[in-house]
Amino acid sequence: MTNEDDKARVANIFDVARLAGVSHQTVSRVLNDLPNVRPATRERVEKAIKQLRYTPSQAARALVTRRSRTIGLITTGGPDFGPSSTALHFNDAARDARYAVSMASMLDSDPASLRAAVELLLRQNVEAIVLIAAHAGALEAILSIELGVPFIAVDAGGRPGVHSVALDQYAGARAAVDHLVGLGHREIRHISGPLDSTDATERLRGWRDSLAAAGLPAREHLVGDWTPASGYRHGLALAADRDMTAVFVGNDQMSLGLIHALSSAGLSVPADVSVIGFDDIPEAEHFAPPLTTIRQDFDGLGRDIMTELLAVLRDEDAADLPRILPSLVVRESAGPPRGRAADPIDSDTTPETASAPAAARQPLG
């Protein structure tokens, strides 16, 4: 079988959208010869269809013409704070827009389970589908399905041809590490979330880039699973690292376990080791000591999903919204290394930035 035969066999509407640089809804409009598609855009889509030798399914040809005022929401993974909060606020935003939400939640995100969830939602005549997934594989599985309805993903990585919204995980990580660098730390470790999570890999990338920008080494990071138990386990190992003076942790729950482990090993936070978390869960200000962390605006993210979705329903060429920029919340778990005053801070991590509104935005990069 030739490469062209293989393309023809596997090509779907998302492949066409990626090649043409448009959304899959725009491809659907071209397939149905509908208006409101610019001639140049239509030409690119038609060229991509021909190049991929794509044959559309009935689902791909179908645009949403019914008005059920119901949105399908698929969530995957455990009841972690971030995804759960995002789903809650999206439901609120949908209700404010006079839409109902039909949810399909699952721990696993295998392709068969996701396909079953999609088929269930489509049988309920949903006008669109939203994905809030803990694992990057869930998005890949959804993109292999011919939906025939608008689709929005919460995706920190961003994919060509797929409408997405996100909090800027990378910028949040950089703010955390820049703060530690500004305090005078030179050996800053990282406990990441699972590496099949786009949020975790974006935070890992931010940690590395901030250290590189400061001319500091990025030692081997430790991989957790978002739970306090994994933070505790890695904390016991880090307690033996006498060079380390600070840890940037992928979320607040792992920070809790880390602080427990450091205390068990006879180390004090922040006198011996500074700790910065991520998320700003409600309990973070009641840790011992209260946790310096990165606050994420899950309310704003939930509302952005609905704003983007309404724009897509009205205009198939709707542009994605800018990512929401998280903010640094300074508490008591991070301070200068023992015996050293804080260096002057000439980065973005100033007191003004630390108290900036969580809804501040920056353009997609």
Side-chain angles (χ1 to χ4, degrees), residues 19-332:
L19 183 58
V22 300
S23 69
H24 73 278
Q25 291 93 353
T26 296
V27 177
S28 186
R29 295 182 72 84
V30 172
L31 292 172
N32 287 275
D33 197 26
L34 292 175
N36 299 327
V37 179
R38 291 188 293 270
T41 300
R42 186 181 298 274
E43 183 178 347
R44 288 205 314 275
V45 171
E46 290 172 344
K47 182 178 179 180
I49 290 171
K50 183 177 180 180
Q51 182 175 336
L52 294 172
R53 295 167 58 186
Y54 168 63
T55 302
S57 67
Q58 286 300 110
R61 287 192 177 278
L63 275 175
V64 178
T65 55
R66 55 190 178 275
R67 298 293 293 169
S68 65
R69 299 202 70 82
T70 301
I71 304 300
L73 172 62
I74 298 175
T75 63
T76 70
D80 295 320
F81 178 73
S84 298
S85 298
T86 302
L88 177 64
H89 290 299
F90 169 69
N91 272 273
D92 281 346
R95 187 163 46 250
D96 289 346
R98 303 177 71 178
Y99 276 82
V101 176
S102 182
M103 290 186 64
S105 300
M106 59 195 73
L107 287 172
D108 297 321
S109 54
D110 60 279
S113 298
L114 285 164
R115 182 175 291 276
V118 167
E119 291 174 352
L120 174 64
L121 293 173
L122 292 177
R123 285 198 296 271
Q124 298 176 33
N125 285 346
V126 295
E127 293 188 24
I129 290 177
V130 172
L131 175 67
I132 302 174
H135 309 293
L139 177 56
E140 297 299 334
I142 290 288
L143 295 183
S144 70
I145 303 171
E146 300 265 3
L147 299 178
V149 297
F151 172 64
I152 305 288
V154 176
D155 179 28
R159 309 292 175 93
V162 178
H163 286 293
S164 64
V165 296
L167 298 165
D168 197 325
Q169 309 296 324
Y170 174 81
R174 295 215 51 170
V177 180
D178 287 350
H179 181 65
L180 291 171
V181 171
L183 289 171
H185 294 278
R186 298 296 176 262
E187 291 286 347
I188 303 168
R189 305 294 185 259
H190 181 45
I191 302 176
S192 77
L195 298 185
D196 59 354
S197 161
T198 306
D199 287 355
T201 57
E202 283 294 286
R203 295 171 198 174
L204 173 61
R205 186 169 69 92
W207 168 72
R208 284 177 173 155
D209 285 357
S210 278
L211 292 179
L216 300 176
R219 311 298 183 189
E220 186 66 26
H221 69 284
L222 302 171
V223 181
D225 62 8
W226 300 131
T227 66
S230 68
Y232 181 82
R233 182 175 67 253
H234 289 315
L236 293 177
L238 287 172
D241 182 350
R242 296 306 178 186
D243 294 327
M244 173 269 300
T245 63
V247 186
F248 166 51
V249 190
N251 76 339
D252 291 347
Q253 286 93 340
M254 292 192 297
S255 299
L256 177 62
L258 170 66
I259 292 171
H260 181 195
L262 295 174
S263 176
S264 297
L267 297 175
S268 174
V269 175
D272 297 311
V273 180
S274 287
V275 175
I276 292 186
F278 210 103
D279 283 341
D280 195 27
I281 63 175
E283 297 84 1
E285 64 179 319
H286 302 291
F287 284 13
L291 185 66
T292 295
T293 186
I294 299 297
R295 177 177 294 159
Q296 301 212 78
D297 182 9
F298 297 114
D299 185 350
L301 179 59
R303 297 192 177 279
D304 271 6
I305 299 170
M306 196 63 209
T307 298
E308 178 75 4
L309 186 53
L310 291 173
V312 170
L313 288 172
R314 291 191 302 263
D315 174 12
E316 301 301 335
D317 287 325
D320 288 347
L321 294 170
R323 296 175 191 175
I324 300 175
L325 184 65
S327 58
L328 174 68
V329 180
V330 177
R331 296 194 180 102
E332 297 170 26

